[in-house]
Amino acid sequence: MIICCGEALIDMLPRQLPDGEGALLPVAGGAVFNTAIALGRLGADAGFFSGLSTDMFGRQLEETLEKSGVDFSFCVRSARPTTLAFVELTDGHAQYTFYDEQTAGRMLTPDTLPELDDRVEALHFGAISLIPEPCGSSYEALLAREADRRVISLDPNIRANFIPDADAHRRRIRRMIAESDIVKVSDEDLAWLEPERAADAVKADWLSGGVSIVVETMGAKGAEATTPSGTVRVAARPVTVVDTVGAGDSFDAGLLAGLKDAGCLTKQALRSIGKEDLESALNLAVSVAAVTVSRAGANPPWKDELGQ
């Protein structure tokens, strides 16, 4: 099982009513939540860990997980409210404003971390759940606790306008990278994390520190994965972009599902992964992301939609 550990929230998406008036549509979301949904739809054995509210939005999140075949029994439930993210789209690109004070997800504490059995082979972390407290420290503690026993995947997925202390967040991400097996960053994330350094030098340092695969996504330019033995590049899929909500999250799911399908989702296999298996996983990742950006909101494809 691959467990995605991080935020679940409601995206308030802008829509237009028939009379031309604007409206907001509440849609289940959150970067790590979206990755779990995409994994479930791809047929992976997927789980999700977060703090979920017992309010109406929390029930909406649970129903969405259930419909996509994601195990959410690991989640901690409370009567605190659900995090809301108001989305503004500019030329299809999403900007977010978060309402997260005292929410069920944010107030997740280290003493509520789940006990994991041998079914769990990998954990995925990232995004805004690593920024606020106490949940940021809780997820970091879970990663540190499990890093020697399971594959760790990390996507920092930087939301700069939500980070009150950039230096502190960079330090947290660097600590987590040092204990991760797979690190996926966008070109923008990489520039934010290491603004004074060349991308290739940063990736080389991460790999020498123990990371097995560093994946960089570059939008329409495609993606590349770097390992100690070399770099594999794949092109982006030509697609008409409706919006980019959930694009990177879906990519993460495709990458993890592709590695699992290739029999490479173990620490040993990742350290010695071959070009063919890595390229196959990257191609699945860009295919999944392409479908997601071709339709409104974070709506990743089901496996049969990919024709694979």
Side-chain angles (χ1 to χ4, degrees):
M1 177 182 286
I2 304 168
I3 301 182
C4 298
C5 309
E7 75 274 9
L9 51 83
I10 296 295
D11 282 322
M12 305 298 290
L13 300 179
R15 293 294 183 265
Q16 189 173 59
L17 298 174
D19 63 3
E21 289 293 319
L24 291 169
L25 177 68
V27 176
V32 181
F33 177 94
N34 293 338
T35 298
I37 294 296
L39 278 168
R41 293 184 181 186
L42 291 172
D45 187 6
F48 182 65
F49 169 64
S50 186
L52 290 182
S53 176
T54 54
D55 67 14
M56 60 179 290
F57 291 132
R59 293 192 296 273
Q60 181 180 349
L61 291 165
E62 289 185 358
E63 289 168 4
T64 305
L65 289 163
E66 186 172 24
K67 288 177 181 177
S68 295
V70 179
D71 182 346
F72 54 92
S73 62
F74 304 95
C75 290
V76 177
R77 293 165 178 80
S78 76
R80 296 180 183 275
T82 298
T83 299
L84 302 180
F86 288 80
V87 182
E88 182 180 7
L89 296 174
T90 304
D91 297 327
H93 294 278
Q95 299 291 324
Y96 300 84
T97 301
F98 295 96
Y99 289 78
D100 192 42
E101 291 295 327
Q102 299 295 313
T103 60
R106 179 169 183 169
M107 300 311 293
L108 190 73
T109 56
D111 61 344
T112 60
L113 297 179
E115 292 300 321
L116 305 177
D117 59 31
D118 290 341
R119 293 179 302 154
V120 180
E121 56 198 322
L123 299 176
H124 175 70
F125 297 86
I128 66 165
S129 55
L130 303 180
I131 303 169
E133 297 295 353
C135 67
S137 292
S138 301
Y139 290 117
E140 185 179 359
L142 179 60
L143 182 150
R145 191 190 79 184
E146 299 295 329
D148 290 337
R149 293 183 282 182
R150 310 176 207 278
V151 168
I152 301 295
S153 166
L154 175 66
D155 177 0
N157 196 358
I158 300 300
R159 295 283 181 261
N161 65 333
F162 192 58
I163 300 172
D165 187 334
D167 289 338
H169 192 62
R170 288 187 178 101
R171 289 193 295 271
R172 167 166 287 164
I173 297 301
R174 289 167 184 158
R175 290 193 300 269
M176 296 178 76
I177 286 171
E179 296 187 286
S180 297
D181 302 288
I182 304 163
V183 176
K184 178 267 196 168
V185 287
S186 70
D187 48 358
E188 294 176 348
D189 291 342
L190 191 53
W192 187 91
L193 285 167
E194 299 289 348
E196 305 298 328
R197 303 183 62 206
D200 287 346
V202 174
K203 291 188 229 181
D205 281 353
W206 291 351
L207 292 167
S208 66
V211 176
S212 293
I213 303 173
V214 178
V215 178
E216 181 182 1
T217 57
M218 299 166 285
K221 296 179 181 179
E224 65 178 33
T226 304
T227 71
S229 60
T231 298
V232 175
R233 297 177 179 86
V234 299
R237 301 292 182 265
V239 64
T240 300
V241 176
V242 174
D243 66 50
T244 60
V245 179
D249 318 327
S250 298
F251 183 100
D252 291 336
L255 178 67
L256 291 169
L259 292 170
K260 172 64 176 174
D261 290 345
C264 294
L265 204 58
T266 68
K267 288 180 176 293
Q268 182 177 357
L270 289 172
R271 284 193 290 267
S272 59
I273 191 169
K275 178 179 178 179
E276 184 176 339
D277 288 334
L278 188 53
E279 187 172 14
S280 177
L282 280 179
N283 277 316
L284 179 58
V286 296
S287 295
V288 174
V291 175
T292 300
V293 302
S294 73
R295 47 203 193 188
N299 183 14
W302 296 83
K303 190 172 184 177
D304 57 9
E305 293 182 81
L306 298 172
Q308 297 182 11

